[in-house]
mmCIF file of all heavy atoms in Angstrom:
data_model
loop_
_atom_site.group_PDB
_atom_site.id
_atom_site.type_symbol
_atom_site.label_atom_id
_atom_site.label_comp_id
_atom_site.label_asym_id
_atom_site.label_seq_id
_atom_site.Cartn_x
_atom_site.Cartn_y
_atom_site.Cartn_z
ATOM 1 N N ASP A 1 4.536 -48.718 -71.315
ATOM 2 C CA ASP A 1 3.813 -47.378 -70.971
ATOM 3 C C ASP A 1 4.262 -46.848 -69.577
ATOM 4 O O ASP A 1 3.424 -46.362 -68.804
ATOM 5 C CB ASP A 1 2.381 -47.580 -70.889
ATOM 6 C CG ASP A 1 1.712 -48.060 -72.346
ATOM 7 O OD1 ASP A 1 2.244 -47.711 -73.299
ATOM 8 O OD2 ASP A 1 0.796 -48.688 -72.332
ATOM 9 N N VAL A 2 5.582 -46.824 -69.429
ATOM 10 C CA VAL A 2 6.244 -46.251 -68.088
ATOM 11 C C VAL A 2 6.683 -44.919 -68.511
ATOM 12 O O VAL A 2 7.560 -44.905 -69.334
ATOM 13 C CB VAL A 2 7.165 -47.258 -67.595
ATOM 14 C CG1 VAL A 2 7.679 -46.583 -66.210
ATOM 15 C CG2 VAL A 2 6.700 -48.639 -67.302
ATOM 16 N N LYS A 3 6.313 -43.816 -67.980
ATOM 17 C CA LYS A 3 6.686 -42.550 -68.204
ATOM 18 C C LYS A 3 8.010 -42.232 -67.422
ATOM 19 O O LYS A 3 8.891 -41.593 -68.037
ATOM 20 C CB LYS A 3 5.517 -41.523 -67.835
ATOM 21 C CG LYS A 3 5.942 -40.155 -68.200
ATOM 22 C CD LYS A 3 4.696 -39.154 -68.018
ATOM 23 C CE LYS A 3 5.093 -37.739 -68.350
ATOM 24 N NZ LYS A 3 3.926 -36.857 -68.033
ATOM 25 N N GLU A 4 7.889 -42.472 -66.162
ATOM 26 C CA GLU A 4 9.046 -42.101 -65.325
ATOM 27 C C GLU A 4 9.342 -43.224 -64.359
ATOM 28 O O GLU A 4 8.380 -43.982 -63.937
ATOM 29 C CB GLU A 4 8.927 -40.715 -64.631
ATOM 30 C CG GLU A 4 8.887 -39.553 -65.584
ATOM 31 C CD GLU A 4 8.653 -38.331 -64.815
ATOM 32 O OE1 GLU A 4 8.407 -38.393 -63.553
ATOM 33 O OE2 GLU A 4 8.609 -37.238 -65.410
ATOM 34 N N MET A 5 10.568 -43.271 -63.839
ATOM 35 C CA MET A 5 10.888 -44.349 -62.860
ATOM 36 C C MET A 5 11.983 -43.653 -61.943
ATOM 37 O O MET A 5 12.965 -42.983 -62.465
ATOM 38 C CB MET A 5 11.541 -45.645 -63.496
ATOM 39 C CG MET A 5 11.929 -46.701 -62.445
ATOM 40 S SD MET A 5 12.470 -48.193 -63.280
ATOM 41 C CE MET A 5 14.042 -47.579 -63.948
ATOM 42 N N SER A 6 11.838 -43.822 -60.548
ATOM 43 C CA SER A 6 12.760 -43.349 -59.635
ATOM 44 C C SER A 6 12.977 -44.270 -58.526
ATOM 45 O O SER A 6 12.166 -45.066 -58.033
ATOM 46 C CB SER A 6 12.357 -42.033 -58.982
ATOM 47 O OG SER A 6 11.066 -42.148 -58.453
ATOM 48 N N TRP A 7 14.236 -44.376 -58.052
ATOM 49 C CA TRP A 7 14.629 -45.258 -56.935
ATOM 50 C C TRP A 7 14.934 -44.563 -55.700
ATOM 51 O O TRP A 7 15.391 -43.261 -55.681
ATOM 52 C CB TRP A 7 15.883 -46.131 -57.315
ATOM 53 C CG TRP A 7 15.815 -46.966 -58.540
ATOM 54 C CD1 TRP A 7 16.037 -46.628 -59.767
ATOM 55 C CD2 TRP A 7 15.203 -48.291 -58.587
ATOM 56 N NE1 TRP A 7 15.835 -47.667 -60.642
ATOM 57 C CE2 TRP A 7 15.320 -48.739 -59.960
ATOM 58 C CE3 TRP A 7 14.764 -49.182 -57.624
ATOM 59 C CZ2 TRP A 7 14.826 -49.894 -60.341
ATOM 60 C CZ3 TRP A 7 14.307 -50.411 -58.055
ATOM 61 C CH2 TRP A 7 14.395 -50.792 -59.493
ATOM 62 N N ARG A 8 14.823 -45.150 -54.550
ATOM 63 C CA ARG A 8 15.309 -44.792 -53.320
ATOM 64 C C ARG A 8 15.738 -45.910 -52.471
ATOM 65 O O ARG A 8 15.236 -47.011 -52.595
ATOM 66 C CB ARG A 8 14.262 -43.942 -52.472
ATOM 67 C CG ARG A 8 13.898 -42.486 -52.913
ATOM 68 C CD ARG A 8 13.324 -41.638 -51.843
ATOM 69 N NE ARG A 8 12.182 -42.249 -51.165
ATOM 70 C CZ ARG A 8 11.686 -41.709 -50.003
ATOM 71 N NH1 ARG A 8 12.278 -40.589 -49.480
ATOM 72 N NH2 ARG A 8 10.663 -42.412 -49.410
ATOM 73 N N PHE A 9 16.955 -45.739 -51.716
ATOM 74 C CA PHE A 9 17.565 -46.820 -50.985
ATOM 75 C C PHE A 9 17.554 -46.449 -49.486
ATOM 76 O O PHE A 9 17.845 -45.306 -49.108
ATOM 77 C CB PHE A 9 18.910 -47.030 -51.579
ATOM 78 C CG PHE A 9 18.962 -47.026 -53.046
ATOM 79 C CD1 PHE A 9 19.153 -45.950 -53.882
ATOM 80 C CD2 PHE A 9 18.663 -48.304 -53.713
ATOM 81 C CE1 PHE A 9 19.189 -46.041 -55.254
ATOM 82 C CE2 PHE A 9 18.582 -48.312 -55.077
ATOM 83 C CZ PHE A 9 18.872 -47.210 -55.845
ATOM 84 N N TRP A 10 17.414 -47.509 -48.647
ATOM 85 C CA TRP A 10 17.301 -47.286 -47.193
ATOM 86 C C TRP A 10 18.552 -47.920 -46.533
ATOM 87 O O TRP A 10 18.900 -49.082 -46.704
ATOM 88 C CB TRP A 10 16.105 -47.944 -46.613
ATOM 89 C CG TRP A 10 16.076 -47.911 -45.086
ATOM 90 C CD1 TRP A 10 16.481 -48.905 -44.259
ATOM 91 C CD2 TRP A 10 15.579 -46.898 -44.293
ATOM 92 N NE1 TRP A 10 16.299 -48.534 -42.922
ATOM 93 C CE2 TRP A 10 15.686 -47.253 -42.990
ATOM 94 C CE3 TRP A 10 14.937 -45.625 -44.573
ATOM 95 C CZ2 TRP A 10 15.299 -46.404 -41.786
ATOM 96 C CZ3 TRP A 10 14.589 -44.789 -43.525
ATOM 97 C CH2 TRP A 10 14.780 -45.226 -42.213
ATOM 98 N N ARG A 11 19.256 -47.053 -45.787
ATOM 99 C CA ARG A 11 20.204 -47.463 -44.796
ATOM 100 C C ARG A 11 20.445 -46.362 -43.922
ATOM 101 O O ARG A 11 20.913 -45.318 -44.187
ATOM 102 C CB ARG A 11 21.575 -47.782 -45.468
ATOM 103 C CG ARG A 11 22.690 -48.235 -44.451
ATOM 104 C CD ARG A 11 24.052 -48.322 -44.845
ATOM 105 N NE ARG A 11 24.253 -49.502 -45.554
ATOM 106 C CZ ARG A 11 25.387 -49.974 -46.068
ATOM 107 N NH1 ARG A 11 26.433 -48.997 -46.195
ATOM 108 N NH2 ARG A 11 25.481 -51.108 -46.745
ATOM 109 N N GLN A 12 19.865 -46.494 -42.677
ATOM 110 C CA GLN A 12 19.790 -45.485 -41.706
ATOM 111 C C GLN A 12 19.111 -44.176 -42.222
ATOM 112 O O GLN A 12 19.489 -43.027 -42.005
ATOM 113 C CB GLN A 12 21.241 -45.148 -41.151
ATOM 114 C CG GLN A 12 21.941 -46.330 -40.480
ATOM 115 C CD GLN A 12 23.310 -46.045 -40.077
ATOM 116 O OE1 GLN A 12 23.898 -44.993 -40.259
ATOM 117 N NE2 GLN A 12 23.925 -46.893 -39.298
ATOM 118 N N GLY A 13 18.219 -44.318 -43.114
ATOM 119 C CA GLY A 13 17.504 -43.205 -43.721
ATOM 120 C C GLY A 13 17.390 -43.447 -45.209
ATOM 121 O O GLY A 13 18.178 -44.214 -45.740
ATOM 122 N N TRP A 14 16.452 -42.789 -45.894
ATOM 123 C CA TRP A 14 16.334 -42.855 -47.313
ATOM 124 C C TRP A 14 17.436 -42.051 -48.063
ATOM 125 O O TRP A 14 17.693 -40.898 -47.600
ATOM 126 C CB TRP A 14 14.915 -42.365 -47.755
ATOM 127 C CG TRP A 14 13.832 -43.404 -47.312
ATOM 128 C CD1 TRP A 14 12.846 -43.168 -46.440
ATOM 129 C CD2 TRP A 14 13.685 -44.572 -47.928
ATOM 130 N NE1 TRP A 14 12.054 -44.266 -46.372
ATOM 131 C CE2 TRP A 14 12.471 -45.182 -47.293
ATOM 132 C CE3 TRP A 14 14.302 -45.351 -49.008
ATOM 133 C CZ2 TRP A 14 11.992 -46.441 -47.615
ATOM 134 C CZ3 TRP A 14 13.717 -46.621 -49.240
ATOM 135 C CH2 TRP A 14 12.609 -47.253 -48.588
ATOM 136 N N GLN A 15 17.907 -42.640 -49.125
ATOM 137 C CA GLN A 15 18.853 -41.961 -50.001
ATOM 138 C C GLN A 15 18.417 -41.968 -51.369
ATOM 139 O O GLN A 15 17.869 -43.022 -51.896
ATOM 140 C CB GLN A 15 20.215 -42.747 -49.935
ATOM 141 C CG GLN A 15 20.815 -42.869 -48.437
ATOM 142 C CD GLN A 15 22.088 -43.697 -48.344
ATOM 143 O OE1 GLN A 15 22.895 -43.679 -49.328
ATOM 144 N NE2 GLN A 15 22.345 -44.342 -47.289
ATOM 145 N N GLU A 16 18.597 -40.986 -52.101
ATOM 146 C CA GLU A 16 18.139 -40.688 -53.490
ATOM 147 C C GLU A 16 19.027 -41.504 -54.514
ATOM 148 O O GLU A 16 18.564 -42.101 -55.436
ATOM 149 C CB GLU A 16 18.038 -39.303 -53.928
ATOM 150 C CG GLU A 16 17.147 -38.431 -53.061
ATOM 151 C CD GLU A 16 15.697 -38.802 -53.289
ATOM 152 O OE1 GLU A 16 15.257 -39.365 -54.370
ATOM 153 O OE2 GLU A 16 14.941 -38.610 -52.362
ATOM 154 N N ASN A 17 20.335 -41.592 -54.075
ATOM 155 C CA ASN A 17 21.346 -42.262 -54.910
ATOM 156 C C ASN A 17 22.154 -43.183 -54.094
ATOM 157 O O ASN A 17 22.446 -42.959 -52.879
ATOM 158 C CB ASN A 17 22.226 -41.273 -55.583
ATOM 159 C CG ASN A 17 21.516 -40.368 -56.552
ATOM 160 O OD1 ASN A 17 20.928 -40.686 -57.607
ATOM 161 N ND2 ASN A 17 21.511 -39.061 -56.207
ATOM 162 N N TRP A 18 22.571 -44.383 -54.717
ATOM 163 C CA TRP A 18 23.331 -45.389 -54.041
ATOM 164 C C TRP A 18 24.732 -45.276 -54.639
ATOM 165 O O TRP A 18 25.004 -45.513 -55.663
ATOM 166 C CB TRP A 18 22.810 -46.732 -54.207
ATOM 167 C CG TRP A 18 23.492 -47.729 -53.305
ATOM 168 C CD1 TRP A 18 24.343 -48.639 -53.624
ATOM 169 C CD2 TRP A 18 23.233 -47.945 -51.892
ATOM 170 N NE1 TRP A 18 24.780 -49.375 -52.536
ATOM 171 C CE2 TRP A 18 24.071 -49.008 -51.502
ATOM 172 C CE3 TRP A 18 22.523 -47.268 -50.907
ATOM 173 C CZ2 TRP A 18 24.227 -49.414 -50.125
ATOM 174 C CZ3 TRP A 18 22.620 -47.769 -49.644
ATOM 175 C CH2 TRP A 18 23.451 -48.730 -49.209
ATOM 176 N N THR A 19 25.677 -44.964 -53.670
ATOM 177 C CA THR A 19 27.022 -44.692 -54.125
ATOM 178 C C THR A 19 28.040 -45.761 -53.322
ATOM 179 O O THR A 19 29.185 -45.940 -53.868
ATOM 180 C CB THR A 19 27.567 -43.286 -53.624
ATOM 181 O OG1 THR A 19 27.410 -43.068 -52.367
ATOM 182 C CG2 THR A 19 26.821 -42.185 -54.414
ATOM 183 N N ASP A 20 27.639 -46.426 -52.401
ATOM 184 C CA ASP A 20 28.443 -47.340 -51.737
ATOM 185 C C ASP A 20 28.183 -48.780 -52.434
ATOM 186 O O ASP A 20 27.513 -49.624 -51.991
ATOM 187 C CB ASP A 20 27.975 -47.520 -50.329
ATOM 188 C CG ASP A 20 28.976 -48.395 -49.412
ATOM 189 O OD1 ASP A 20 29.897 -48.765 -49.997
ATOM 190 O OD2 ASP A 20 28.771 -48.544 -48.268
ATOM 191 N N THR A 21 28.879 -48.770 -53.572
ATOM 192 C CA THR A 21 28.744 -49.980 -54.332
ATOM 193 C C THR A 21 29.307 -51.212 -53.905
ATOM 194 O O THR A 21 28.916 -52.329 -54.362
ATOM 195 C CB THR A 21 29.411 -49.812 -55.804
ATOM 196 O OG1 THR A 21 30.814 -49.449 -55.531
ATOM 197 C CG2 THR A 21 28.743 -48.557 -56.485
ATOM 198 N N GLY A 22 30.063 -51.202 -52.840
ATOM 199 C CA GLY A 22 30.558 -52.360 -52.158
ATOM 200 C C GLY A 22 29.661 -52.978 -51.181
ATOM 201 O O GLY A 22 29.986 -54.124 -50.647
ATOM 202 N N HIS A 23 28.576 -52.362 -50.917
ATOM 203 C CA HIS A 23 27.560 -52.801 -49.899
ATOM 204 C C HIS A 23 26.137 -52.786 -50.483
ATOM 205 O O HIS A 23 26.009 -52.194 -51.564
ATOM 206 C CB HIS A 23 27.700 -52.089 -48.598
ATOM 207 C CG HIS A 23 28.956 -52.199 -47.852
ATOM 208 N ND1 HIS A 23 30.095 -51.403 -48.164
ATOM 209 C CD2 HIS A 23 29.317 -52.923 -46.982
ATOM 210 C CE1 HIS A 23 31.062 -51.624 -47.499
ATOM 211 N NE2 HIS A 23 30.789 -52.677 -46.710
ATOM 212 N N GLN A 24 25.190 -53.317 -49.809
ATOM 213 C CA GLN A 24 23.863 -53.432 -50.326
ATOM 214 C C GLN A 24 22.878 -52.574 -49.425
ATOM 215 O O GLN A 24 23.236 -52.502 -48.169
ATOM 216 C CB GLN A 24 23.327 -54.826 -50.402
ATOM 217 C CG GLN A 24 24.233 -55.623 -51.270
ATOM 218 C CD GLN A 24 23.641 -57.144 -51.463
ATOM 219 O OE1 GLN A 24 23.626 -57.606 -52.493
ATOM 220 N NE2 GLN A 24 23.360 -57.815 -50.286
ATOM 221 N N PRO A 25 21.853 -51.987 -49.969
ATOM 222 C CA PRO A 25 20.906 -51.274 -49.124
ATOM 223 C C PRO A 25 20.051 -52.362 -48.396
ATOM 224 O O PRO A 25 19.948 -53.451 -48.715
ATOM 225 C CB PRO A 25 20.070 -50.502 -50.100
ATOM 226 C CG PRO A 25 20.133 -51.304 -51.357
ATOM 227 C CD PRO A 25 21.565 -51.929 -51.339
ATOM 228 N N GLU A 26 19.448 -51.794 -47.225
ATOM 229 C CA GLU A 26 18.612 -52.700 -46.436
ATOM 230 C C GLU A 26 17.051 -52.529 -46.915
ATOM 231 O O GLU A 26 16.246 -53.423 -46.514
ATOM 232 C CB GLU A 26 18.715 -52.262 -45.061
ATOM 233 C CG GLU A 26 20.043 -52.384 -44.352
ATOM 234 C CD GLU A 26 20.067 -51.829 -43.005
ATOM 235 O OE1 GLU A 26 19.203 -51.214 -42.620
ATOM 236 O OE2 GLU A 26 21.254 -52.039 -42.339
ATOM 237 N N GLY A 27 16.875 -51.627 -47.879
ATOM 238 C CA GLY A 27 15.467 -51.578 -48.379
ATOM 239 C C GLY A 27 15.581 -50.766 -49.667
ATOM 240 O O GLY A 27 16.483 -49.910 -49.891
ATOM 241 N N VAL A 28 14.576 -50.901 -50.532
ATOM 242 C CA VAL A 28 14.557 -50.413 -51.879
ATOM 243 C C VAL A 28 13.139 -49.789 -52.064
ATOM 244 O O VAL A 28 12.164 -50.564 -51.926
ATOM 245 C CB VAL A 28 15.067 -51.192 -52.949
ATOM 246 C CG1 VAL A 28 15.008 -50.568 -54.381
ATOM 247 C CG2 VAL A 28 16.553 -51.716 -52.801
ATOM 248 N N GLU A 29 13.111 -48.561 -52.564
ATOM 249 C CA GLU A 29 11.694 -48.130 -52.958
ATOM 250 C C GLU A 29 11.795 -47.789 -54.440
ATOM 251 O O GLU A 29 12.685 -47.091 -54.988
ATOM 252 C CB GLU A 29 11.394 -46.851 -52.187
ATOM 253 C CG GLU A 29 10.046 -46.184 -52.637
ATOM 254 C CD GLU A 29 9.872 -44.797 -52.042
ATOM 255 O OE1 GLU A 29 10.409 -43.811 -52.645
ATOM 256 O OE2 GLU A 29 9.367 -44.660 -51.012
ATOM 257 N N LEU A 30 10.655 -48.160 -55.163
ATOM 258 C CA LEU A 30 10.589 -47.968 -56.589
ATOM 259 C C LEU A 30 9.238 -47.163 -56.831
ATOM 260 O O LEU A 30 8.212 -47.706 -56.442
ATOM 261 C CB LEU A 30 10.642 -49.251 -57.454
ATOM 262 C CG LEU A 30 10.437 -49.085 -58.900
ATOM 263 C CD1 LEU A 30 11.385 -48.107 -59.647
ATOM 264 C CD2 LEU A 30 10.369 -50.515 -59.582
ATOM 265 N N THR A 31 9.282 -46.071 -57.535
ATOM 266 C CA THR A 31 8.193 -45.367 -57.861
ATOM 267 C C THR A 31 7.979 -45.307 -59.445
ATOM 268 O O THR A 31 9.030 -44.878 -60.123
ATOM 269 C CB THR A 31 8.158 -43.819 -57.319
ATOM 270 O OG1 THR A 31 8.346 -43.936 -55.854
ATOM 271 C CG2 THR A 31 6.871 -43.111 -57.693
ATOM 272 N N LEU A 32 6.940 -45.716 -59.928
ATOM 273 C CA LEU A 32 6.674 -45.805 -61.431
ATOM 274 C C LEU A 32 5.545 -44.872 -61.655
ATOM 275 O O LEU A 32 4.462 -44.930 -61.019
ATOM 276 C CB LEU A 32 6.237 -47.169 -61.914
ATOM 277 C CG LEU A 32 7.406 -48.322 -61.730
ATOM 278 C CD1 LEU A 32 6.793 -49.607 -62.021
ATOM 279 C CD2 LEU A 32 8.528 -48.038 -62.593
ATOM 280 N N THR A 33 5.649 -43.986 -62.638
ATOM 281 C CA THR A 33 4.677 -43.110 -63.131
ATOM 282 C C THR A 33 4.285 -43.535 -64.568
ATOM 283 O O THR A 33 5.079 -43.564 -65.419
ATOM 284 C CB THR A 33 5.042 -41.653 -63.287
ATOM 285 O OG1 THR A 33 5.599 -41.268 -61.887
ATOM 286 C CG2 THR A 33 3.925 -40.679 -63.667
ATOM 287 N N MET A 34 2.968 -44.037 -64.773
ATOM 288 C CA MET A 34 2.671 -44.579 -66.010
ATOM 289 C C MET A 34 2.180 -43.381 -66.941
ATOM 290 O O MET A 34 1.905 -42.337 -66.618
ATOM 291 C CB MET A 34 1.511 -45.552 -65.740
ATOM 292 C CG MET A 34 1.729 -46.582 -64.651
ATOM 293 S SD MET A 34 3.261 -47.534 -64.985
ATOM 294 C CE MET A 34 2.790 -48.564 -66.402
ATOM 295 N N GLU A 35 1.975 -43.763 -68.245
ATOM 296 C CA GLU A 35 1.621 -42.851 -69.215
ATOM 297 C C GLU A 35 0.182 -42.275 -69.000
ATOM 298 O O GLU A 35 -0.214 -41.136 -69.419
ATOM 299 C CB GLU A 35 1.652 -43.406 -70.663
ATOM 300 C CG GLU A 35 3.025 -43.791 -71.199
ATOM 301 C CD GLU A 35 3.802 -42.697 -71.596
ATOM 302 O OE1 GLU A 35 3.234 -41.590 -71.585
ATOM 303 O OE2 GLU A 35 5.023 -42.747 -71.762
#
């Protein structure tokens, strides 16, 4: 019953998309919107 899911990634500020696939973020935010 999950309607939507969105990620954000932290490295010197929040980023909507992670494109630096050779490195890892320092923090991750997950937002779940239920039915």
Side-chain angles (χ1 to χ4, degrees):
D1 297 333
V2 182
K3 184 178 180 180
E4 295 179 355
M5 178 177 71
S6 62
W7 300 95
R8 287 204 307 170
F9 310 95
W10 174 267
R11 178 190 279 179
Q12 300 179 352
W14 286 109
Q15 305 176 28
E16 300 293 334
N17 299 296
W18 188 257
T19 56
D20 190 3
T21 59
H23 298 85
Q24 300 184 133
E26 298 174 355
V28 178
E29 177 193 84
L30 173 61
T31 303
L32 297 174
T33 303
M34 312 303 292
E35 293 287 352

